[in-house]
Amino acid sequence: MATYKLYYFNGRGRGEAARLVFAAAGQKYEDIRFEGEQWPSHKSEMPLGQLPVLEFNGVKLPQSISIARFLAKQFNLAGKDNFEQAQVDAVVDTIVDLVNKFIAVRFEKDEAKKQELGKTFFAEEAPKQLKNLETLAKLYGKSGPFFVGNQLTWADLLFYDVGESLLGVEANALDNFTFLKQNRAEVAKLPKIAEYLKNRPATPF
């Protein structure tokens, strides 16, 4: 029987997409969470000296998106065929574009500069990328609440998590994006996801 261990910090961050896939699939795994002071003594155990890492049957796999994509394929959450999988990947790549712009805001140390970057991000970059996501949903979602093929995929789970981070900084970030708000609501209502969200540890990130 396959065994899964997920190594990450005690937070949502880049490990949460994999956890959401596990939750949606009802798959058991070891959720190994390092506190900050524990990490230096484990860093050398990881292939690239970074987290998250998935250990599958004793072999470690780095890179958050690769981990989530692998798990989605394992549990039939990646799209029904090769072209649907490519559509899911296009949505995911667009979410990653959004995240990469957002990271500059989240990790800016200078508070005044952070405020300025945040204003610009939520006024200009976020609406552009969120509109791109709605455009893809119209193309691929078959008028349903999910991004691709009118069924749950890991793209929906990834956006649920990224949306939580956006809304944590700017509560009105999705107000002009009806599909994206509905998409997150539908994901949150899924029984296995609702159960996971209710019971997961409360963490600051």
Side-chain angles (χ1 to χ4, degrees):
M1 191 173 75
T3 60
Y4 300 88
K5 295 180 184 179
L6 183 70
Y7 300 86
Y8 193 58
F9 301 108
N10 187 24
R12 298 188 310 277
R14 292 184 180 271
E16 196 66 6
R19 294 188 189 120
L20 287 166
V21 174
F22 279 129
Q27 173 65 46
K28 289 185 177 177
Y29 68 105
E30 269 191 75
D31 187 16
I32 298 164
R33 294 169 178 249
F34 296 125
E35 298 297 341
E37 66 274 12
Q38 295 174 301
W39 168 234
S41 64
H42 293 279
K43 186 171 182 176
S44 64
E45 300 165 8
M46 303 302 158
L48 304 180
Q50 63 190 37
L51 296 175
V53 163
L54 175 73
E55 187 174 321
F56 173 66
N57 291 344
V59 180
K60 288 174 177 164
L61 176 72
Q63 300 288 3
S64 60
I65 294 298
S66 295
I67 290 166
R69 182 183 289 114
F70 164 70
L71 293 173
K73 288 180 177 179
Q74 285 288 92
F75 308 132
N76 300 312
L77 291 167
K80 291 195 298 286
D81 56 36
N82 284 343
F83 194 52
E84 271 201 3
Q85 289 183 16
Q87 292 168 3
V88 170
D89 284 346
V91 174
V92 167
D93 287 344
T94 305
I95 296 170
V96 170
D97 287 344
L98 174 64
V99 169
N100 287 342
K101 300 286 187 180
F102 186 49
I103 282 172
V105 178
R106 285 295 292 271
F107 292 102
E108 174 55 52
K109 297 282 194 294
D110 182 291
E111 197 53 43
K113 191 174 180 186
K114 185 173 186 172
Q115 294 288 332
E116 195 57 41
L117 285 171
K119 280 183 193 171
T120 303
F121 172 79
F122 283 106
E124 299 172 13
E125 192 61 40
K128 182 176 84 174
Q129 299 296 350
L130 294 170
K131 186 179 179 200
N132 286 344
L133 286 169
E134 292 218 322
T135 296
L136 294 180
K138 284 177 188 169
L139 280 173
Y140 306 143
K142 299 184 179 176
S143 302
F146 300 116
F147 276 108
V148 175
N150 203 16
Q151 64 184 352
L152 180 73
T153 68
W154 70 287
D156 305 295
L157 299 171
L158 180 63
F159 184 73
Y160 181 86
D161 179 52
V162 169
E164 186 170 8
S165 296
L166 293 176
L167 293 167
V169 177
E170 175 50 71
N172 303 317
L174 300 182
D175 282 4
N176 296 324
F177 301 95
T178 306
F179 168 83
L180 297 178
K181 286 179 77 171
Q182 184 193 6
N183 173 258
R184 292 192 78 253
E186 289 295 323
V187 169
K189 281 193 306 193
L190 295 166
K192 289 175 184 173
I193 296 296
E195 182 73 11
Y196 170 74
L197 295 176
K198 185 174 78 174
N199 293 313
R200 72 180 175 181
T203 58
F205 68 93

